[in-house]
């Protein structure tokens, strides 16, 4: 999967779960641009526009985790948090991720490579 923030492109690998499969099927219909904003000082979050199946397990996120929250929001973590989440994908190289995502609201486009 490709995640585009401004001029920056990040590559991410899908996880092996039904949520990831549904997310991939959603992106197969075309790129999805989401307005994402900071939350809690450790993530960007935005509405997915639909609801996907949840596969929540108790995890501690790491920078680069793409997380499905409550089935209808997508988040990109640049910090850590422990909760019951579903991880549909992970960014291959999260170095400098917080700088790439910037501050405030940002448009993020998710697409298939």
């Amino acid at each position: 999967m490709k995640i585009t923030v401004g001029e920056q492109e990040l590559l991410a690998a899908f996880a092996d779960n039904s949520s990831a499969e549904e997310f991939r099927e959603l992106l197969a219909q075309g790129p999805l641009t989401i307005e994402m904003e900071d939350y809690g000082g450790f993530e960007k979050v935005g509405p997915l526009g639909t609801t996907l199946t949840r596969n929540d397990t108790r995890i501690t996120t790491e920078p680069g985790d793409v997380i499905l929250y409550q089935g209808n929001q997508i988040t990109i973590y640049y910090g850590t948090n422990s909760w019951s989440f579903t991880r549909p994908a992970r960014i291959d190289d999260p170095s400098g991720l917080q700088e790439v995502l910037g501050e405030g609201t940002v448009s993020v486009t998710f697409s298939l490579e």
Side-chain angles (χ1 to χ4, degrees):
M1 170 174 57
K2 184 168 65 173
I3 300 170
T4 307
V5 185
E7 299 298 315
Q8 299 286 324
E9 290 185 353
L10 305 165
L11 297 179
F14 285 103
D16 184 18
N17 60 50
S18 61
S19 304
E21 237 355 92
E22 288 179 22
F23 193 34
R24 184 186 326 229
E25 289 168 9
L26 180 65
L27 297 180
Q29 298 171 25
L32 181 63
T33 300
I34 299 175
E35 295 296 310
M36 301 181 80
E37 55 190 46
D38 292 296
Y39 179 82
F42 49 77
E43 68 179 314
K44 289 280 190 190
V45 61
L48 194 51
T50 190
T51 301
L52 303 179
T53 301
R54 295 163 63 173
N55 289 281
D56 291 349
T57 56
R58 179 100 178 146
I59 61 171
T60 297
T61 62
E62 297 179 13
D65 282 340
V66 177
I67 299 290
L68 177 67
Y69 179 67
Q70 295 191 347
N72 62 3
Q73 296 180 66
I74 202 77
T75 65
I76 299 175
Y77 275 80
Y78 51 82
T80 60
N81 187 26
S82 295
W83 200 258
S84 284
F85 293 126
T86 298
R87 182 186 297 128
R90 175 152 176 78
I91 294 170
D92 297 339
D93 179 7
S95 58
L97 183 58
Q98 188 169 0
E99 291 75 26
V100 170
L101 294 172
E103 293 184 23
T105 303
V106 63
S107 291
V108 179
T109 301
F110 296 85
S111 60
L112 297 180
E113 281 191 85

